[in-house]
Amino acid sequence: MFYLLIALAIGFGIPIQTAINSRLRSYVLSPFVASFISFLVGTIFLSVVTLLTKHTLLVPSEIFTSSPWWLWIGGLLGVIGLTGNILLFPKLGGVQTVILPILGQIFASMIIDHFGFFGSPVIPFSLIRALGVLLLILGILAVIALPGYLRKRKGHVPEVTEGGRLPFQLFGILAGAMMATQSAINGRLGAVLESPVHAAFISFLVGLILLFITITFFLRKLQNVKFAMGKSKPKWIWLGGIIGSFFVLTMAALVPILGTGLVVVAGLFGQLVCSILIDQFGWFGARKSPTTGIQILGLVLMVAGVILIKLV
């Protein structure tokens, strides 16, 4: 139960990181540059923690030769999953951009658990677990989709009306699946290196390198980083990377203990609860949106789903 509470708590950090990075994006004028700064800060932070705990950032050569190739792609999957929302929002609107990656994370994590992919503990997909997933999905729909649907019924214009969205919807599910896969891979890497902190550092370093190449050679917007500097800019816009690094290293530490499915589900529940609180109280400059009874019901359904999944 203690580890489950940690997974719930760490999920609270993701909406906060998103709010911080959104503010950062308004200064650097590019979501990719904002992601780069977030990865840069996280990599520096994790390098310091790794040096304090393991006294080295290097990986023994025998691990490279004896480990499978997929052990090193967690950072790549993280970058794709992170930028997925950036690409999907204009095509799908806010509701689907949130729901589809979440569904991808749930389905992928259950498959990973059932077959024990990426060195994860084998947890068969039983009838009880299926019922838990069903309650979880119903809860997610109640928290995110139903309030938006009811607003549209009252006369609001739908967020997105153009057709041809199926490829983007499939990519949304795939992006979520990549995030769950990243957690499983980093969990295995943490076990191999005997340090989830070291595994998180490597994941962030890989993501940082990929983003640096993207914004330097393809987008040519590296100079935008300077727009986040200066006395007039709030200092907290640099904290998103530290929050993200805590999330990645905690997930890497918990996957070998709880399994990918339960860690992902618990983290998602924490994310949704924090998102509702941000909307309710208008934290980080967000527009206030009072919590509805349907959303409370959705959270109750999600709690029931988590309990059933935990029982397996």
Side-chain angles (χ1 to χ4, degrees):
M1 181 58 69
F2 173 72
Y3 294 117
L4 184 61
L5 291 176
I6 292 178
L8 287 169
I10 202 65
F12 270 66
I14 298 303
I16 297 175
Q17 182 195 28
T18 300
I20 291 174
N21 286 345
S22 296
R23 182 67 175 272
L24 177 61
R25 175 186 177 180
S26 69
Y27 291 118
V28 298
L29 309 177
S30 169
F32 293 95
V33 176
S35 296
F36 170 77
I37 293 175
S38 184
F39 268 80
L40 175 62
V41 173
T43 301
I44 294 173
F45 172 74
L46 288 169
S47 67
V48 173
V49 178
T50 303
L51 287 172
L52 290 175
T53 55
K54 287 201 67 176
H55 310 295
T56 181
L57 299 177
L58 302 177
V59 177
S61 58
E62 58 269 19
I63 292 182
F64 282 108
T65 57
S66 61
S67 300
W69 61 270
W70 49 258
L71 201 62
W72 314 102
I73 65 171
L76 169 63
L77 300 179
V79 168
I80 295 175
L82 180 66
T83 56
N85 286 356
I86 301 171
L87 301 173
L88 292 175
F89 186 83
K91 301 294 183 180
L92 301 180
V95 173
Q96 291 193 51
T97 299
V98 173
I99 290 179
L100 293 176
I102 288 178
L103 294 179
Q105 289 185 58
I106 294 173
F107 294 146
S109 63
M110 294 299 153
I111 293 172
I112 290 171
D113 276 354
H114 182 77
F115 294 101
F117 290 148
F118 310 112
S120 296
V122 176
I123 305 176
F125 190 72
S126 64
L127 182 61
I128 293 178
R129 210 163 220 233
L131 181 58
V133 170
L134 178 60
L135 290 177
L136 195 70
I137 293 174
L138 291 176
I140 292 170
L141 293 175
V143 170
I144 300 174
L146 283 181
Y149 173 76
L150 293 176
R151 284 193 295 269
K152 293 176 185 178
R153 288 292 299 271
K154 292 179 180 179
H156 290 271
V157 178
E159 292 179 318
V160 179
T161 57
E162 70 269 17
R165 294 180 291 171
L166 180 59
F168 297 100
Q169 292 167 332
L170 293 176
F171 178 74
I173 296 174
L174 179 62
M178 288 183 177
M179 296 298 291
T181 304
Q182 181 199 27
S183 297
I185 289 175
N186 286 345
R188 179 58 180 170
L189 181 60
V192 171
L193 297 176
E194 299 180 346
S195 170
V197 177
H198 200 178
F201 163 74
I202 291 175
S203 182
F204 262 70
L205 180 62
V206 171
L208 177 67
I209 293 172
L210 292 173
L211 283 168
F212 175 79
I213 293 173
T214 300
I215 68 172
T216 302
F217 298 102
F218 293 98
L219 301 179
R220 299 181 181 179
K221 292 187 176 182
L222 184 61
Q223 70 275 8
N224 287 24
V225 173
K226 65 182 180 183
F227 297 147
M229 303 175 183
K231 294 182 180 180
S232 62
K233 310 299 190 303
K235 299 299 183 291
W236 52 264
I237 62 175
W238 294 84
L239 297 179
I242 296 178
I243 296 174
S245 64
F246 269 113
F247 178 81
V248 172
L249 74 87
T250 303
M251 297 287 276
L254 293 179
V255 163
I257 300 172
L258 299 177
T260 305
L262 187 56
V263 171
V264 168
V265 165
L268 289 175
F269 179 74
Q271 291 178 44
L272 291 177
V273 171
C274 186
S275 296
I276 289 176
L277 292 175
I278 289 175
D279 287 345
Q280 175 72 25
F281 298 104
W283 293 341
F284 305 104
R287 185 179 62 183
K288 287 188 177 182
S289 178
T291 304
T292 65
I294 292 176
Q295 288 178 311
I296 299 299
L297 174 61
L299 291 177
V300 172
L301 290 174
M302 290 182 67
V303 169
V306 171
I307 292 174
L308 288 177
I309 293 173
K310 178 68 172 65
L311 289 176
V312 179

